[in-house]
Amino acid sequence: MTAKAYWIARVTVTDPVAYSGYQALAPEAFAKYDARFLARGGETVTCEGPEWQRQVIIEFDNLAQARACYASAEYQAAREQRKDACRAEIFIVEGV
C-alpha cells in the first residue's frame, strides 16, 4: 500500500484583495489531483515558533501526486497570484 502524502502550509495573508486571485485559481489544481483538505483556517494554537495566520493540511493519495500538483501549470499560475499577497511556507510530507 502506498503512503499518503500531505501538503502542510503556513500562511499569513498581507493583501487579501490580491490573495483572492490565488483563491480563485488554486482549486482547479487541487481538484485535478484529488486533494482533500483536512485542516484549513480553523483556530490555531502556536506552542513554539513564529505565529502564522492560517495553517493548512491537504491530503493526496501519494507523494508523486502531491509533488505533481505543486509543479502543475494550474498551481504555478495560482502561486504567481499569491507571491506578493502573503508570506507562506509549504512542505510536502509523506505519511506513515
Side-chain angles (χ1 to χ4, degrees):
M1 180 176 195
T2 304
K4 302 275 186 184
Y6 304 89
W7 282 23
I8 299 173
R10 302 175 199 159
V11 180
T12 295
V13 176
T14 55
D15 183 343
V17 173
Y19 193 76
S20 67
Y22 169 80
Q23 292 174 309
L25 294 176
E28 182 179 354
F30 297 137
K32 181 177 179 179
Y33 292 93
D34 298 322
R36 292 167 299 283
F37 284 82
L38 302 181
R40 175 174 52 180
E43 183 178 346
T44 298
V45 176
T46 300
C47 297
E48 294 185 37
E51 290 200 24
W52 294 85
Q53 187 179 57
R54 43 178 97 179
Q55 320 298 321
V56 182
I57 302 172
I58 307 170
E59 181 182 67
F60 293 85
D61 289 335
N62 56 59
L63 184 59
Q65 188 179 28
R67 293 178 74 167
C69 182
Y70 188 82
S72 71
E74 295 86 357
Y75 189 75
Q76 291 303 306
R79 183 174 175 251
E80 182 65 22
Q81 291 294 308
R82 73 165 168 77
K83 73 177 183 177
D84 295 322
C86 70
R87 292 185 307 109
E89 289 184 345
I90 299 173
F91 306 87
I92 299 175
V93 179
E94 191 171 41
V96 293

